[in-house]
Amino acid sequence: MAVSATLHCLTGCAIGEIAGLMIGTAVGLSAGWTIVLAVSLAFLFGYLLSTLPLLKAGLGVGTALGVVLAADTLSIATMELVDNAVMALVPGAMDTGLVNSTFWLAMMFALTVAFFAAYPVNRYLLARGKGHALTHRYHHAAGEVTGARRYIPSLETPVLVGVIAAFMFGGLVVSVADELSTGGGAPAHVVSGPISHM
């Protein structure tokens, strides 16, 4: 359960961070504001992915958000802290463009380290009936889903992990191809200005 809870948090963090990076880059935000946007979206998507199953199980929005805030905040905060620290320590990772293999390799490495940092946090919380133990009790308690709740998507963690991994691998492949086509020099399609990961 600790592995599942950690992967669940990691998917939300990864979605938010990648989206924040791409938006920040596209609109020309500074490195600092790109970090703020990416971290904010990481929390937003992390909370959203935990809230949807609770809403589908029949909880009200306020109750579901209360449960999720108590369950996920420490795990997401740990991931964000470690992930950003790793990205900051990898030479060149925070200053490359989206079409750059250093960025994608550093992101993969940072998310992996963040997973292993958050795993003991989730295990500790679960052992004490906290963390994802707070949300897990609602997942299958409602029985048959009726009404508008039928339209709330069921986003399975393994599927999300697969999609995110494929997206990052695709970014890496495009970056390597671009670097090879330009003879190993600066990527031809780098967005101007420094880019920050989180």
Side-chain angles (χ1 to χ4, degrees), residues 73-168:
T73 300
L74 185 58
S75 177
I76 295 173
T78 300
M79 284 187 178
E80 288 304 296
L81 179 65
V82 172
D83 182 57
N84 284 289
V86 171
M87 284 299 288
L89 292 173
V90 174
M94 301 287 277
D95 301 314
T96 62
L98 289 175
V99 186
N100 188 293
S101 58
T102 300
F103 166 76
W104 291 105
L105 289 170
M107 177 184 278
M108 292 174 189
F109 178 66
L111 289 173
T112 301
V113 174
F115 172 86
F116 285 106
Y119 171 76
V121 172
N122 282 305
R123 187 170 178 177
Y124 174 85
L125 292 171
L126 286 166
R128 284 149 185 79
K130 299 178 181 179
H132 266 252
L134 299 174
T135 62
H136 189 70
R137 69 183 69 158
Y138 296 105
H139 287 182
H140 303 290
E144 184 180 356
V145 178
T146 59
R149 291 185 293 132
R150 291 177 299 166
Y151 302 106
I152 297 174
S154 295
L155 303 171
E156 298 296 327
T157 299
V159 174
L160 289 174
V161 169
V163 169
I164 293 166
F167 182 83
M168 290 195 298

Side-chain angles (χ1 to χ4, degrees), residues 34-59:
T34 300
I35 290 172
V36 170
L37 176 62
V39 170
S40 299
L41 289 178
F43 273 92
L44 174 67
F45 279 98
Y47 290 145
L48 179 65
L49 291 181
S50 290
T51 301
L52 290 176
L54 300 184
L55 295 177
K56 193 161 191 169
L59 271 68

Side-chain angles (χ1 to χ4, degrees), residues 10-38:
L10 187 67
T11 56
C13 288
I15 292 169
E17 289 167 358
I18 293 169
L21 171 66
M22 297 180 84
I23 293 168
T25 301
V27 301
L29 294 178
S30 68
W33 283 112
T34 300
I35 290 172
V36 170
L37 176 62

